[in-house]
mmCIF file of all heavy atoms in Angstrom:
data_model
loop_
_atom_site.group_PDB
_atom_site.id
_atom_site.type_symbol
_atom_site.label_atom_id
_atom_site.label_comp_id
_atom_site.label_asym_id
_atom_site.label_seq_id
_atom_site.Cartn_x
_atom_site.Cartn_y
_atom_site.Cartn_z
ATOM 1 N N LEU A 102 165.133 57.048 92.645
ATOM 2 C CA LEU A 102 164.802 57.106 94.049
ATOM 3 C C LEU A 102 165.690 56.266 94.942
ATOM 4 O O LEU A 102 165.531 56.197 96.183
ATOM 5 C CB LEU A 102 163.339 56.622 94.226
ATOM 6 C CG LEU A 102 162.264 57.454 93.520
ATOM 7 C CD1 LEU A 102 160.859 56.862 93.824
ATOM 8 C CD2 LEU A 102 162.312 58.896 93.996
ATOM 9 N N ASP A 103 166.673 55.510 94.338
ATOM 10 C CA ASP A 103 167.486 54.670 95.188
ATOM 11 C C ASP A 103 168.818 55.332 95.603
ATOM 12 O O ASP A 103 169.145 56.422 95.133
ATOM 13 C CB ASP A 103 167.770 53.357 94.519
ATOM 14 C CG ASP A 103 168.649 53.511 93.234
ATOM 15 O OD1 ASP A 103 169.097 54.661 92.949
ATOM 16 O OD2 ASP A 103 168.902 52.518 92.573
ATOM 17 N N SER A 104 169.474 54.728 96.532
ATOM 18 C CA SER A 104 170.809 55.217 97.045
ATOM 19 C C SER A 104 171.692 54.065 97.369
ATOM 20 O O SER A 104 171.231 52.945 97.716
ATOM 21 C CB SER A 104 170.602 56.145 98.211
ATOM 22 O OG SER A 104 170.115 55.373 99.326
ATOM 23 N N LEU A 105 172.969 54.304 97.265
ATOM 24 C CA LEU A 105 174.026 53.266 97.620
ATOM 25 C C LEU A 105 175.141 53.952 98.423
ATOM 26 O O LEU A 105 175.658 54.990 98.005
ATOM 27 C CB LEU A 105 174.597 52.636 96.327
ATOM 28 C CG LEU A 105 175.679 51.599 96.512
ATOM 29 C CD1 LEU A 105 175.129 50.359 97.179
ATOM 30 C CD2 LEU A 105 176.320 51.280 95.168
ATOM 31 N N SER A 106 175.429 53.388 99.545
ATOM 32 C CA SER A 106 176.570 53.916 100.315
ATOM 33 C C SER A 106 177.670 52.838 100.361
ATOM 34 O O SER A 106 177.384 51.642 100.310
ATOM 35 C CB SER A 106 176.151 54.236 101.790
ATOM 36 O OG SER A 106 175.714 53.060 102.467
ATOM 37 N N ALA A 107 178.912 53.267 100.451
ATOM 38 C CA ALA A 107 180.057 52.388 100.461
ATOM 39 C C ALA A 107 180.996 52.838 101.629
ATOM 40 O O ALA A 107 181.476 53.938 101.582
ATOM 41 C CB ALA A 107 180.857 52.449 99.163
ATOM 42 N N GLU A 108 181.188 51.942 102.601
ATOM 43 C CA GLU A 108 182.020 52.210 103.743
ATOM 44 C C GLU A 108 183.324 51.351 103.555
ATOM 45 O O GLU A 108 183.236 50.168 103.623
ATOM 46 C CB GLU A 108 181.348 51.858 105.018
ATOM 47 C CG GLU A 108 179.993 52.596 105.270
ATOM 48 C CD GLU A 108 179.237 52.072 106.452
ATOM 49 O OE1 GLU A 108 179.715 51.147 107.117
ATOM 50 O OE2 GLU A 108 178.192 52.590 106.689
ATOM 51 N N THR A 109 184.443 52.082 103.394
ATOM 52 C CA THR A 109 185.697 51.364 103.105
ATOM 53 C C THR A 109 186.747 51.635 104.204
ATOM 54 O O THR A 109 186.908 52.782 104.616
ATOM 55 C CB THR A 109 186.241 51.840 101.734
ATOM 56 O OG1 THR A 109 185.255 51.562 100.724
ATOM 57 C CG2 THR A 109 187.549 51.103 101.391
ATOM 58 N N ASP A 110 187.409 50.567 104.553
ATOM 59 C CA ASP A 110 188.590 50.736 105.450
ATOM 60 C C ASP A 110 189.616 49.696 105.060
ATOM 61 O O ASP A 110 189.389 48.791 104.225
ATOM 62 C CB ASP A 110 188.165 50.474 106.939
ATOM 63 C CG ASP A 110 187.571 49.134 107.201
ATOM 64 O OD1 ASP A 110 188.315 48.157 107.179
ATOM 65 O OD2 ASP A 110 186.324 49.031 107.416
ATOM 66 N N PHE A 111 190.850 49.845 105.587
ATOM 67 C CA PHE A 111 191.869 48.892 105.278
ATOM 68 C C PHE A 111 192.802 48.657 106.479
ATOM 69 O O PHE A 111 192.898 49.503 107.378
ATOM 70 C CB PHE A 111 192.658 49.275 104.023
ATOM 71 C CG PHE A 111 193.716 50.360 104.276
ATOM 72 C CD1 PHE A 111 195.017 50.008 104.615
ATOM 73 C CD2 PHE A 111 193.407 51.725 104.147
ATOM 74 C CE1 PHE A 111 195.999 50.956 104.820
ATOM 75 C CE2 PHE A 111 194.315 52.682 104.336
ATOM 76 C CZ PHE A 111 195.657 52.318 104.692
ATOM 77 N N GLN A 112 193.454 47.555 106.451
ATOM 78 C CA GLN A 112 194.528 47.305 107.442
ATOM 79 C C GLN A 112 195.816 46.805 106.674
ATOM 80 O O GLN A 112 195.674 46.280 105.512
ATOM 81 C CB GLN A 112 194.097 46.253 108.464
ATOM 82 C CG GLN A 112 193.791 44.860 107.900
ATOM 83 C CD GLN A 112 193.466 43.892 108.965
ATOM 84 O OE1 GLN A 112 193.598 44.175 110.203
ATOM 85 N NE2 GLN A 112 193.004 42.696 108.619
ATOM 86 N N ALA A 113 196.926 46.982 107.284
ATOM 87 C CA ALA A 113 198.200 46.585 106.639
ATOM 88 C C ALA A 113 199.146 46.176 107.696
ATOM 89 O O ALA A 113 199.123 46.679 108.854
ATOM 90 C CB ALA A 113 198.783 47.695 105.816
ATOM 91 N N TYR A 114 199.988 45.140 107.409
ATOM 92 C CA TYR A 114 201.017 44.742 108.350
ATOM 93 C C TYR A 114 202.209 44.194 107.564
ATOM 94 O O TYR A 114 202.046 43.685 106.467
ATOM 95 C CB TYR A 114 200.482 43.664 109.258
ATOM 96 C CG TYR A 114 199.683 42.564 108.584
ATOM 97 C CD1 TYR A 114 200.320 41.439 108.116
ATOM 98 C CD2 TYR A 114 198.313 42.662 108.363
ATOM 99 C CE1 TYR A 114 199.588 40.359 107.489
ATOM 100 C CE2 TYR A 114 197.599 41.667 107.802
ATOM 101 C CZ TYR A 114 198.235 40.566 107.320
ATOM 102 O OH TYR A 114 197.535 39.563 106.646
ATOM 103 N N GLY A 115 203.388 44.392 108.091
ATOM 104 C CA GLY A 115 204.592 43.964 107.345
ATOM 105 C C GLY A 115 205.831 44.390 108.102
ATOM 106 O O GLY A 115 205.851 44.686 109.332
ATOM 107 N N VAL A 116 206.942 44.439 107.343
ATOM 108 C CA VAL A 116 208.280 44.687 107.916
ATOM 109 C C VAL A 116 208.990 45.701 106.997
ATOM 110 O O VAL A 116 208.972 45.567 105.807
ATOM 111 C CB VAL A 116 209.083 43.366 108.038
ATOM 112 C CG1 VAL A 116 210.495 43.688 108.526
ATOM 113 C CG2 VAL A 116 208.409 42.391 108.949
#
Side-chain angles (χ1 to χ4, degrees):
L102 300 178
D103 67 3
S104 66
L105 178 68
S106 65
E108 302 171 1
T109 302
D110 60 70
F111 79 91
Q112 62 178 351
Y114 47 90
V116 176

